[in-house]
Amino acid sequence: MEKVVIIGTGCAGLTAALYTARANLAPLVLTGTMPGGLLTTTSIVENFPGFPEGIDGYELMTRMQKQAERFGARVQFGTVESVDLSRSPFKLTVDGEPVEAQTIIIASGAGHRHLGLESESLLEKKGVTYCATCDGALPMFRNQPLVVVGGGDSACEEATYLTRFASVVYLIHRRDSLRASKIMAERTLANPKIKPVWNSVVTEILDVKKDTVTGVRVKDVNTGAEQVLDCAGVFVAIGHVPNTQLFNGMIDLDENGYVIPKEGSATKVPGVFVAGDCSDHVYRQAITAAGMGCAAAIDAERYLAALNQ
Ligand code: NAP
């Protein structure tokens, strides 16, 4: 029987792991398919306090894991396939194996949102990607025109990163101004290699017949005019979808799938707590996720203390 099972090893999960480990609860921390979470796919993190020069996203997560393990957290590579929250202890199936838990901290994060085009799914990994730091340096993208879709911080970050490799980066955004933070937006638009394509949406990624990306068909949302931009890669950076399907019907989710906590980090199921991007569509920062992980750990610890009195 586990006292605490933490689902997810992003900033929220690993901070919850650190705090529950230091409370002598020896948490079992399950990585899912992306150990370290989405931050491992980012390049330099410049806004996590304590790192004035910035820190590589992968390194930050590796350090967080080491810190949690130092105090007894058990990080296990594994994916939760099902959960039963209908009675305590809670039951989980992790890679086919049963696990019982007195408390669960859901820190399952969010995945990349897709454009939803058929050509997008057919050309995924054949030029369509969701991660510039993972794929940007591939030979197929070197000295080629590349496309980034989106107008938020992620799109700006991806576009800026890709200028290292690309001949030009088209930043295609559906509006006429960026949603990104001021500093990121200014840096992006000042980069001579980045060409914004405003008020435009991608309607098709070419060329499915050739089984590789050769361009995008783009529509101006105001005039309806279409054009084709030649490119060797399409980097989609249009936000995220929370990884909460597993809990549908068991705890409260909003219409977009984000967990709605009842009070603090507590969900409507006593003993089940939530932290990080799977419950936050407002702030979604590494530091806020870490703070939410800390809060969930303290709430879980207090719940267990009351339970075992
Ligand atoms: P985001 O802020 O939600 O931005 C998503 C962008 O994609 C928006 O510009 C949106 O357009 C566009 N979009 C959404 N659905 C679309 C669709 N179907 N077709 C075309 N465009 C679509 O997401 P994000 O950029 O991934 O950022 C998420 C959070 O992480 C934010 O809080 C951000 O600050 C944070 N973040 C921070 C950093 C950093 O500080 N270094 C880096 C990355 C991310 P509209 O603008 O029209 O809605």
Short mmCIF file of all heavy atoms in Angstrom, two decimals, residues 97-154:
data_model
loop_
_atom_site.label_atom_id
_atom_site.label_comp_id
_atom_site.label_asym_id
_atom_site.label_seq_id
_atom_site.Cartn_x
_atom_site.Cartn_y
_atom_site.Cartn_z
N GLU A 97 0.21 -3.62 -13.81
CA GLU A 97 0.38 -4.04 -12.41
C GLU A 97 -0.54 -3.23 -11.49
O GLU A 97 -0.65 -2.02 -11.63
CB GLU A 97 1.83 -3.80 -11.95
CG GLU A 97 2.87 -4.62 -12.69
CD GLU A 97 2.72 -6.11 -12.43
OE1 GLU A 97 2.42 -6.49 -11.28
OE2 GLU A 97 2.86 -6.88 -13.39
N PRO A 98 -1.19 -3.91 -10.50
CA PRO A 98 -2.05 -3.16 -9.59
C PRO A 98 -1.23 -2.39 -8.54
O PRO A 98 -0.20 -2.88 -8.08
CB PRO A 98 -2.88 -4.26 -8.91
CG PRO A 98 -2.05 -5.48 -9.01
CD PRO A 98 -1.19 -5.34 -10.23
N VAL A 99 -1.69 -1.20 -8.22
CA VAL A 99 -1.06 -0.38 -7.16
C VAL A 99 -2.20 0.16 -6.31
O VAL A 99 -3.23 0.59 -6.84
CB VAL A 99 -0.26 0.80 -7.77
CG1 VAL A 99 0.26 1.73 -6.68
CG2 VAL A 99 0.91 0.30 -8.62
N GLU A 100 -2.01 0.13 -4.98
CA GLU A 100 -3.02 0.72 -4.09
C GLU A 100 -2.42 1.95 -3.43
O GLU A 100 -1.24 1.98 -3.10
CB GLU A 100 -3.43 -0.29 -3.02
CG GLU A 100 -4.32 -1.39 -3.57
CD GLU A 100 -4.97 -2.18 -2.46
OE1 GLU A 100 -4.39 -2.24 -1.34
OE2 GLU A 100 -6.05 -2.73 -2.70
N ALA A 101 -3.26 2.97 -3.24
CA ALA A 101 -2.75 4.22 -2.69
C ALA A 101 -3.75 4.86 -1.74
O ALA A 101 -4.95 4.84 -1.99
CB ALA A 101 -2.45 5.19 -3.83
N GLN A 102 -3.21 5.42 -0.65
CA GLN A 102 -4.08 6.16 0.27
C GLN A 102 -4.39 7.55 -0.28
O GLN A 102 -5.48 8.06 -0.06
CB GLN A 102 -3.39 6.30 1.63
CG GLN A 102 -3.44 5.02 2.46
CD GLN A 102 -2.84 5.26 3.84
OE1 GLN A 102 -1.64 5.50 3.95
NE2 GLN A 102 -3.67 5.20 4.86
N THR A 103 -3.39 8.14 -0.93
CA THR A 103 -3.64 9.44 -1.57
C THR A 103 -3.03 9.42 -2.97
O THR A 103 -2.06 8.70 -3.23
CB THR A 103 -3.01 10.62 -0.80
OG1 THR A 103 -1.59 10.49 -0.84
CG2 THR A 103 -3.48 10.69 0.64
N ILE A 104 -3.61 10.24 -3.82
CA ILE A 104 -3.07 10.40 -5.18
C ILE A 104 -2.92 11.90 -5.45
O ILE A 104 -3.82 12.69 -5.12
CB ILE A 104 -4.02 9.79 -6.24
CG1 ILE A 104 -4.10 8.26 -6.07
CG2 ILE A 104 -3.58 10.14 -7.65
CD1 ILE A 104 -5.06 7.57 -7.04
N ILE A 105 -1.78 12.27 -6.01
CA ILE A 105 -1.62 13.64 -6.51
C ILE A 105 -1.56 13.57 -8.03
O ILE A 105 -0.65 12.95 -8.60
CB ILE A 105 -0.34 14.31 -5.94
CG1 ILE A 105 -0.47 14.43 -4.41
CG2 ILE A 105 -0.13 15.68 -6.58
CD1 ILE A 105 0.77 14.99 -3.72
N ILE A 106 -2.56 14.16 -8.65
CA ILE A 106 -2.61 14.15 -10.12
C ILE A 106 -1.80 15.35 -10.62
O ILE A 106 -2.14 16.50 -10.34
CB ILE A 106 -4.07 14.27 -10.63
CG1 ILE A 106 -4.92 13.11 -10.08
CG2 ILE A 106 -4.10 14.30 -12.15
CD1 ILE A 106 -6.42 13.32 -10.32
N ALA A 107 -0.72 15.05 -11.30
CA ALA A 107 0.13 16.12 -11.87
C ALA A 107 0.50 15.69 -13.29
O ALA A 107 1.66 15.65 -13.67
CB ALA A 107 1.37 16.31 -11.00
N SER A 108 -0.55 15.33 -14.03
CA SER A 108 -0.35 14.66 -15.32
C SER A 108 -0.11 15.63 -16.47
O SER A 108 0.10 15.21 -17.61
CB SER A 108 -1.57 13.78 -15.63
OG SER A 108 -2.76 14.50 -15.44
N GLY A 109 -0.14 16.94 -16.19
CA GLY A 109 0.29 17.91 -17.19
C GLY A 109 -0.63 18.01 -18.39
O GLY A 109 -1.83 17.72 -18.33
N ALA A 110 -0.04 18.44 -19.48
CA ALA A 110 -0.81 18.67 -20.70
C ALA A 110 0.04 18.27 -21.90
O ALA A 110 1.27 18.26 -21.84
CB ALA A 110 -1.20 20.15 -20.80
N GLY A 111 -0.65 17.92 -22.98
CA GLY A 111 0.05 17.56 -24.23
C GLY A 111 -0.15 18.64 -25.28
O GLY A 111 -0.92 19.59 -25.08
N HIS A 112 0.53 18.51 -26.40
CA HIS A 112 0.44 19.52 -27.46
C HIS A 112 -0.92 19.47 -28.15
O HIS A 112 -1.40 18.40 -28.50
CB HIS A 112 1.54 19.28 -28.50
CG HIS A 112 2.91 19.41 -27.93
ND1 HIS A 112 3.44 20.62 -27.57
CD2 HIS A 112 3.86 18.49 -27.65
CE1 HIS A 112 4.65 20.45 -27.09
NE2 HIS A 112 4.93 19.16 -27.13
N ARG A 113 -1.50 20.63 -28.37
CA ARG A 113 -2.73 20.70 -29.17
C ARG A 113 -2.37 20.54 -30.64
O ARG A 113 -1.36 21.05 -31.10
CB ARG A 113 -3.44 22.04 -28.93
CG ARG A 113 -4.67 22.18 -29.80
CD ARG A 113 -5.43 23.46 -29.53
NE ARG A 113 -6.10 23.40 -28.26
CZ ARG A 113 -6.12 24.38 -27.37
NH1 ARG A 113 -5.51 25.50 -27.63
NH2 ARG A 113 -6.76 24.25 -26.24
N HIS A 114 -3.23 19.83 -31.37
CA HIS A 114 -3.00 19.63 -32.80
C HIS A 114 -3.93 20.54 -33.61
O HIS A 114 -4.98 20.95 -33.11
CB HIS A 114 -3.26 18.16 -33.17
CG HIS A 114 -2.25 17.23 -32.58
ND1 HIS A 114 -2.00 15.97 -33.08
CD2 HIS A 114 -1.42 17.36 -31.52
CE1 HIS A 114 -1.06 15.38 -32.36
NE2 HIS A 114 -0.70 16.21 -31.41
N LEU A 115 -3.54 20.81 -34.84
CA LEU A 115 -4.38 21.64 -35.71
C LEU A 115 -5.67 20.91 -36.08
O LEU A 115 -6.69 21.53 -36.34
CB LEU A 115 -3.62 21.99 -37.00
CG LEU A 115 -2.46 22.97 -36.85
CD1 LEU A 115 -1.59 22.93 -38.09
CD2 LEU A 115 -2.97 24.37 -36.59
N GLY A 116 -5.58 19.60 -36.13
CA GLY A 116 -6.76 18.81 -36.47
C GLY A 116 -6.91 18.57 -37.96
O GLY A 116 -7.98 18.18 -38.42
N LEU A 117 -5.84 18.78 -38.73
CA LEU A 117 -5.91 18.54 -40.18
C LEU A 117 -5.50 17.10 -40.48
O LEU A 117 -4.60 16.56 -39.82
CB LEU A 117 -4.94 19.47 -40.92
CG LEU A 117 -5.13 20.97 -40.72
CD1 LEU A 117 -3.95 21.73 -41.32
CD2 LEU A 117 -6.44 21.40 -41.39
N GLU A 118 -6.15 16.52 -41.48
CA GLU A 118 -5.79 15.15 -41.85
C GLU A 118 -4.33 15.10 -42.31
O GLU A 118 -3.57 14.20 -41.94
CB GLU A 118 -6.73 14.66 -42.96
CG GLU A 118 -6.66 13.16 -43.14
CD GLU A 118 -7.46 12.68 -44.32
OE1 GLU A 118 -8.11 13.49 -45.01
OE2 GLU A 118 -7.43 11.46 -44.56
N SER A 119 -3.94 16.10 -43.11
CA SER A 119 -2.56 16.12 -43.63
C SER A 119 -1.55 16.26 -42.49
O SER A 119 -0.42 15.77 -42.58
CB SER A 119 -2.39 17.27 -44.63
OG SER A 119 -2.86 18.48 -44.09
N GLU A 120 -1.97 16.91 -41.40
CA GLU A 120 -1.09 17.06 -40.23
C GLU A 120 -0.77 15.68 -39.63
O GLU A 120 0.39 15.35 -39.39
CB GLU A 120 -1.79 17.95 -39.19
CG GLU A 120 -1.06 18.10 -37.87
CD GLU A 120 -1.96 18.77 -36.83
OE1 GLU A 120 -3.20 18.77 -36.99
OE2 GLU A 120 -1.41 19.27 -35.84
N SER A 121 -1.82 14.88 -39.42
CA SER A 121 -1.55 13.58 -38.81
C SER A 121 -0.81 12.64 -39.77
O SER A 121 0.06 11.88 -39.36
CB SER A 121 -2.83 12.93 -38.28
OG SER A 121 -3.77 12.81 -39.30
N LEU A 122 -1.12 12.76 -41.08
CA LEU A 122 -0.44 11.87 -42.04
C LEU A 122 1.04 12.22 -42.18
O LEU A 122 1.86 11.36 -42.50
CB LEU A 122 -1.13 11.95 -43.40
CG LEU A 122 -2.53 11.32 -43.47
CD1 LEU A 122 -3.21 11.63 -44.79
CD2 LEU A 122 -2.44 9.81 -43.26
N LEU A 123 1.39 13.48 -41.93
CA LEU A 123 2.79 13.90 -42.11
C LEU A 123 3.53 14.09 -40.78
O LEU A 123 4.66 14.60 -40.77
CB LEU A 123 2.86 15.17 -42.96
CG LEU A 123 2.41 14.98 -44.42
CD1 LEU A 123 2.33 16.32 -45.15
CD2 LEU A 123 3.38 14.03 -45.16
N GLU A 124 2.89 13.66 -39.69
CA GLU A 124 3.59 13.77 -38.39
C GLU A 124 4.87 12.93 -38.44
O GLU A 124 4.88 11.81 -38.94
CB GLU A 124 2.67 13.29 -37.25
CG GLU A 124 3.31 13.56 -35.91
CD GLU A 124 2.38 13.36 -34.72
OE1 GLU A 124 1.15 13.29 -34.90
OE2 GLU A 124 2.91 13.26 -33.60
N LYS A 125 5.94 13.53 -37.93
CA LYS A 125 7.28 12.93 -37.96
C LYS A 125 7.86 12.83 -39.37
O LYS A 125 8.91 12.26 -39.60
CB LYS A 125 7.31 11.56 -37.29
CG LYS A 125 6.91 11.59 -35.83
CD LYS A 125 7.35 10.34 -35.10
CE LYS A 125 7.09 10.44 -33.62
NZ LYS A 125 5.70 10.22 -33.25
N LYS A 126 7.15 13.35 -40.35
CA LYS A 126 7.68 13.41 -41.72
C LYS A 126 7.81 14.87 -42.12
O LYS A 126 7.61 15.25 -43.28
CB LYS A 126 6.75 12.68 -42.69
CG LYS A 126 6.65 11.19 -42.38
CD LYS A 126 5.53 10.53 -43.11
CE LYS A 126 5.47 9.06 -42.75
NZ LYS A 126 4.23 8.43 -43.24
N GLY A 127 8.07 15.69 -41.11
CA GLY A 127 8.17 17.14 -41.34
C GLY A 127 7.24 17.93 -40.45
O GLY A 127 7.46 19.11 -40.22
N VAL A 128 6.19 17.27 -39.94
CA VAL A 128 5.31 17.93 -38.97
C VAL A 128 5.76 17.53 -37.57
O VAL A 128 5.91 16.34 -37.29
CB VAL A 128 3.83 17.51 -39.16
CG1 VAL A 128 2.96 18.10 -38.05
CG2 VAL A 128 3.32 17.97 -40.52
N THR A 129 6.00 18.53 -36.73
CA THR A 129 6.45 18.22 -35.37
C THR A 129 5.88 19.23 -34.38
O THR A 129 5.35 20.28 -34.77
CB THR A 129 8.00 18.13 -35.29
OG1 THR A 129 8.44 18.60 -34.02
CG2 THR A 129 8.69 18.93 -36.34
N TYR A 130 5.98 18.90 -33.11
CA TYR A 130 5.44 19.75 -32.04
C TYR A 130 6.56 20.23 -31.12
O TYR A 130 6.28 20.73 -30.04
CB TYR A 130 4.36 18.97 -31.26
CG TYR A 130 3.25 18.55 -32.20
CD1 TYR A 130 3.35 17.37 -32.93
CD2 TYR A 130 2.16 19.37 -32.41
CE1 TYR A 130 2.38 17.01 -33.84
CE2 TYR A 130 1.17 19.02 -33.32
CZ TYR A 130 1.30 17.85 -34.03
OH TYR A 130 0.32 17.52 -34.94
N CYS A 131 7.81 20.06 -31.53
CA CYS A 131 8.91 20.36 -30.62
C CYS A 131 10.17 20.74 -31.39
O CYS A 131 10.86 19.88 -31.94
CB CYS A 131 9.18 19.14 -29.74
SG CYS A 131 10.56 19.37 -28.64
N ALA A 132 10.45 22.04 -31.39
CA ALA A 132 11.62 22.52 -32.13
C ALA A 132 12.92 22.03 -31.49
O ALA A 132 13.86 21.66 -32.19
CB ALA A 132 11.61 24.04 -32.20
N THR A 133 12.96 22.02 -30.16
CA THR A 133 14.23 21.61 -29.54
C THR A 133 14.50 20.12 -29.75
O THR A 133 15.65 19.70 -29.77
CB THR A 133 14.25 21.91 -28.02
OG1 THR A 133 12.96 21.68 -27.49
CG2 THR A 133 14.69 23.31 -27.74
N CYS A 134 13.41 19.33 -29.90
CA CYS A 134 13.62 17.90 -30.15
C CYS A 134 14.07 17.66 -31.60
O CYS A 134 14.93 16.84 -31.86
CB CYS A 134 12.34 17.09 -29.94
SG CYS A 134 11.39 17.54 -28.51
N ASP A 135 13.46 18.36 -32.53
CA ASP A 135 13.60 18.00 -33.94
C ASP A 135 14.27 19.05 -34.82
O ASP A 135 14.66 18.75 -35.96
CB ASP A 135 12.21 17.72 -34.54
CG ASP A 135 11.49 16.60 -33.81
OD1 ASP A 135 12.18 15.70 -33.31
OD2 ASP A 135 10.25 16.64 -33.73
N GLY A 136 14.41 20.27 -34.32
CA GLY A 136 14.85 21.39 -35.16
C GLY A 136 16.19 21.16 -35.84
O GLY A 136 16.42 21.63 -36.95
N ALA A 137 17.08 20.43 -35.17
CA ALA A 137 18.43 20.26 -35.72
C ALA A 137 18.54 19.13 -36.74
O ALA A 137 19.62 18.88 -37.28
CB ALA A 137 19.41 20.01 -34.56
N LEU A 138 17.42 18.45 -37.01
CA LEU A 138 17.48 17.33 -37.98
C LEU A 138 17.98 17.83 -39.33
O LEU A 138 17.64 18.94 -39.76
CB LEU A 138 16.09 16.71 -38.15
CG LEU A 138 15.52 15.94 -36.95
CD1 LEU A 138 14.08 15.51 -37.23
CD2 LEU A 138 16.39 14.73 -36.64
N PRO A 139 18.77 17.00 -40.04
CA PRO A 139 19.32 17.43 -41.33
C PRO A 139 18.24 17.91 -42.30
O PRO A 139 18.48 18.84 -43.09
CB PRO A 139 20.01 16.17 -41.86
CG PRO A 139 20.29 15.35 -40.64
CD PRO A 139 19.24 15.67 -39.63
N MET A 140 17.04 17.29 -42.26
CA MET A 140 15.99 17.66 -43.22
C MET A 140 15.54 19.12 -43.08
O MET A 140 14.96 19.68 -44.00
CB MET A 140 14.77 16.73 -43.07
CG MET A 140 14.04 16.88 -41.75
SD MET A 140 12.85 15.56 -41.44
CE MET A 140 11.53 15.98 -42.53
N PHE A 141 15.82 19.73 -41.93
CA PHE A 141 15.37 21.11 -41.71
C PHE A 141 16.48 22.14 -41.92
O PHE A 141 16.23 23.33 -41.88
CB PHE A 141 14.82 21.25 -40.28
CG PHE A 141 13.63 20.38 -40.00
CD1 PHE A 141 13.54 19.64 -38.82
CD2 PHE A 141 12.57 20.30 -40.90
CE1 PHE A 141 12.45 18.84 -38.56
CE2 PHE A 141 11.46 19.50 -40.64
CZ PHE A 141 11.40 18.76 -39.47
N ARG A 142 17.71 21.68 -42.12
CA ARG A 142 18.86 22.61 -42.20
C ARG A 142 18.82 23.47 -43.45
O ARG A 142 18.62 22.95 -44.56
CB ARG A 142 20.17 21.81 -42.20
CG ARG A 142 20.34 21.00 -40.93
CD ARG A 142 21.41 21.58 -40.07
NE ARG A 142 21.39 20.93 -38.77
CZ ARG A 142 22.25 21.18 -37.80
NH1 ARG A 142 23.20 22.06 -38.00
NH2 ARG A 142 22.16 20.58 -36.66
N ASN A 143 18.98 24.77 -43.25
CA ASN A 143 19.00 25.74 -44.35
C ASN A 143 17.76 25.70 -45.23
O ASN A 143 17.83 25.96 -46.43
CB ASN A 143 20.26 25.53 -45.21
CG ASN A 143 21.52 25.69 -44.38
OD1 ASN A 143 21.63 26.64 -43.62
ND2 ASN A 143 22.43 24.73 -44.48
N GLN A 144 16.65 25.32 -44.62
CA GLN A 144 15.39 25.25 -45.36
C GLN A 144 14.41 26.27 -44.76
O GLN A 144 14.53 26.64 -43.59
CB GLN A 144 14.76 23.85 -45.18
CG GLN A 144 15.59 22.70 -45.70
CD GLN A 144 15.68 22.71 -47.21
OE1 GLN A 144 14.74 23.10 -47.90
NE2 GLN A 144 16.83 22.32 -47.72
N PRO A 145 13.41 26.70 -45.54
CA PRO A 145 12.34 27.49 -44.95
C PRO A 145 11.50 26.60 -44.02
O PRO A 145 11.22 25.44 -44.38
CB PRO A 145 11.49 27.94 -46.15
CG PRO A 145 12.13 27.39 -47.37
CD PRO A 145 13.23 26.47 -46.98
N LEU A 146 11.15 27.10 -42.85
CA LEU A 146 10.34 26.34 -41.90
C LEU A 146 9.14 27.18 -41.48
O LEU A 146 9.18 28.41 -41.54
CB LEU A 146 11.17 25.97 -40.66
CG LEU A 146 12.42 25.12 -40.91
CD1 LEU A 146 13.20 24.92 -39.60
CD2 LEU A 146 12.05 23.77 -41.52
N VAL A 147 8.10 26.49 -41.04
CA VAL A 147 6.88 27.18 -40.59
C VAL A 147 6.65 26.88 -39.12
O VAL A 147 6.81 25.74 -38.67
CB VAL A 147 5.66 26.70 -41.43
CG1 VAL A 147 4.35 26.91 -40.68
CG2 VAL A 147 5.61 27.43 -42.75
N VAL A 148 6.30 27.93 -38.36
CA VAL A 148 5.80 27.74 -36.99
C VAL A 148 4.38 28.27 -36.98
O VAL A 148 4.11 29.36 -37.50
CB VAL A 148 6.67 28.50 -35.96
CG1 VAL A 148 6.03 28.46 -34.57
CG2 VAL A 148 8.07 27.93 -35.92
N VAL A 149 3.46 27.51 -36.39
CA VAL A 149 2.07 27.96 -36.28
C VAL A 149 1.79 28.31 -34.83
O VAL A 149 2.07 27.52 -33.92
CB VAL A 149 1.08 26.87 -36.74
CG1 VAL A 149 -0.34 27.43 -36.80
CG2 VAL A 149 1.48 26.29 -38.09
N GLY A 150 1.20 29.50 -34.60
CA GLY A 150 0.83 29.92 -33.24
C GLY A 150 1.28 31.33 -32.96
O GLY A 150 2.08 31.90 -33.72
N GLY A 151 0.77 31.89 -31.86
CA GLY A 151 1.11 33.27 -31.53
C GLY A 151 1.46 33.47 -30.06
O GLY A 151 1.57 34.59 -29.59
N GLY A 152 1.64 32.36 -29.34
CA GLY A 152 1.94 32.46 -27.91
C GLY A 152 3.44 32.37 -27.64
O GLY A 152 4.26 32.40 -28.56
N ASP A 153 3.78 32.26 -26.37
CA ASP A 153 5.19 32.15 -25.98
C ASP A 153 5.86 30.94 -26.63
O ASP A 153 7.01 31.00 -27.05
CB ASP A 153 5.31 32.04 -24.45
CG ASP A 153 5.19 33.39 -23.78
OD1 ASP A 153 5.61 34.39 -24.38
OD2 ASP A 153 4.69 33.44 -22.65
N SER A 154 5.12 29.84 -26.69
CA SER A 154 5.72 28.62 -27.28
C SER A 154 6.09 28.86 -28.73
O SER A 154 7.18 28.51 -29.17
CB SER A 154 4.75 27.43 -27.20
OG SER A 154 4.46 27.11 -25.89
#
